[in-house]
Amino acid sequence: MKAICLTETGGPEVLTYTDAPVPEPGPDEVLVEVLYAGVNYIDTYYRSGIYHAQLPFTPGLEGVGRVVEDKSGKITEGTKVAWMDAFGSYAEYVTVHRDRLVAVPQELEDTQAASMLLQGMTAHYLTHSTYQLQEGETCLITAGAGGVGRLATQFAKSRGATVYSVVSSDSKEKLAYEAGADEVFRYSDQLAETVRRRNGGRGVDVVYDGVGKATFGESLEAVRPRGLVCLFGAASGPVDPIDPQVLNAHGSIYLTRPSLGPYTAGNEEFTARAQAVVQALVEETITMRVSGVYPLADAQRAHEDLQARKTTGSIVLEV
Ligand code: NDP
């Protein structure tokens, strides 16, 4: 089969389109023929070596495709499925744990289904579990036109919250407003002050910060006393270590650095969260915006564009 393989970590140039053996499914796994693979920021962390994976490897964690073989006989051959958490998804075939698959309703396009789970479930746990936004509460979301940012904005609005968002350009500002943000700002060292001014002089209840290094200082400033800074990513680079006293100085604020794993660890929670995302898409409470479809062989370009801030919403590889 064709696949993207890495024999060393580094820049996008290490993503090599090559031949690889079709993987053998284990007893709890299903072999799937991939139609589209979702491209996520976390894939760039594995590629660059910030997150560790045993070399050589094929990156990618999610996608949409058709079941080729399920030895247990529980899933019929040809069933269209989406998945998350299956390392090696940038390939023509991938093995997926049976419990990490969801059926794809016919209302959803393949490109949407390929990228809905990782970003959708992240946006869901951030707004429904890490901090359960309530009607009338306020939040600040960084990179509001990005994959997670757009979806978090829509989930936050569906819970009745006011959303302040921050983006880097006019076109992204338009998209963040279309996603439902109440006010959209630009990155600056005045960001927290601007947010507070628009928020009646008060800090927001929660900041969802996926940008990291470049925004973390403003995130600490933008939250109200006893509010939560939820640092969920590092698109601009990882945040430097901090002294816990900083949390005291900002008004007994809370800080968390969550990841999707613990919020989908049990099969019950995974299924409930995945179904919530699928249902929200079918009912159009949230919408996916797939701004780029790249051939599998062009995975390098997909990573370059993602890291150069050229993408909006989600992007996928056509296999
Ligand atoms: P995005 O589509 O949001 O792309 C990243 C965006 O970050 C860019 O488009 C850009 O938007 C913004 N950004 C700000 N500064 C930089 C910079 N220096 N370089 C590149 N981008 C920058 O990506 P994802 O939705 O896939 O992921 C967003 C973040 O969420 C990532 O950090 C990712 O690792 C994290 N994440 C965390 C998860 C978790 O469970 N903890 C799960 C999924 C994702 P703009 O130009 O508007 O600033």
Side-chain angles (χ1 to χ4, degrees), residues 29-266:
E29 291 178 331
V30 173
L31 181 66
V32 179
E33 183 174 15
V34 182
L35 295 169
Y36 293 90
V39 177
N40 291 284
Y41 227 89
I42 192 171
D43 304 340
T44 71
Y45 301 149
Y46 280 109
R47 188 209 71 220
S48 63
I50 295 175
Y51 286 1
H52 179 71
Q54 186 75 43
L55 288 163
F57 67 86
T58 292
L61 290 167
E62 69 172 350
V64 68
R66 291 197 180 277
V67 170
V68 176
E69 184 188 12
D70 177 14
K71 284 191 180 124
S72 76
K74 288 182 186 154
I75 308 176
T76 321
E77 191 185 318
T79 304
K80 192 183 279 183
V81 289
W83 62 89
M84 200 278 289
D85 224 5
F87 207 66
S89 293
Y90 289 10
E92 286 181 325
Y93 294 91
V94 66
T95 53
V96 186
H97 196 284
R98 197 173 291 106
D99 297 331
R100 298 277 136 164
L101 288 169
V102 294
V104 178
Q106 60 185 21
E107 292 93 326
L108 300 187
E109 287 172 20
D110 289 349
T111 51
Q112 297 176 312
S115 54
M116 67 181 173
L117 288 181
L118 203 151
Q119 295 174 352
M121 286 199 285
T122 299
H124 187 272
Y125 85 69
L126 291 172
T127 51
H128 291 67
S129 303
T130 308
Y131 187 98
Q132 291 183 21
L133 276 169
Q134 306 295 326
E135 180 94 35
E137 288 194 316
T138 54
C139 64
L140 170 64
I141 299 177
T142 62
V148 176
R150 259 192 92 255
L151 295 168
T153 299
Q154 295 177 77
F155 272 132
K157 288 309 295 176
S158 75
R159 293 184 71 85
T162 295
V163 177
Y164 301 109
S165 177
V166 55
V167 299
S168 64
S169 68
D170 286 352
S171 55
K172 288 187 177 185
E173 178 182 312
K174 188 163 174 278
L175 290 171
Y177 275 122
E178 278 168 16
D182 294 275
E183 297 242 28
V184 183
F185 308 114
R186 294 301 157 77
Y187 301 95
S188 87
D189 53 9
Q190 309 292 308
L191 176 64
E193 200 185 308
T194 311
V195 171
R196 282 174 174 275
R197 207 165 43 238
R198 298 297 173 86
N199 196 42
R202 211 166 164 262
V204 292
D205 296 298
V206 55
V207 179
Y208 297 114
D209 185 350
V211 167
K213 195 175 182 69
T215 45
F216 185 64
E218 291 301 299
S219 295
L220 295 175
E221 297 286 341
V223 78
R224 65 163 165 81
R226 293 167 58 182
L228 174 70
V229 173
C230 176
L231 175 69
F232 70 94
S236 66
V239 167
D240 293 330
I242 66 156
D243 175 354
Q245 182 61 18
V246 167
L247 307 180
N248 175 11
H250 285 84
S252 301
I253 63 172
Y254 295 84
L255 170 66
T256 183
R257 175 56 178 94
S259 61
L260 186 53
Y263 285 93
T264 50

Side-chain angles (χ1 to χ4, degrees), residues 105 107-108 275-287:
E107 292 93 326
L108 300 187
Q275 289 308 337
V277 170
V278 171
Q279 194 180 336
L281 281 167
V282 170
E283 290 171 358
E284 298 184 357
T285 311
I286 60 169
T287 58

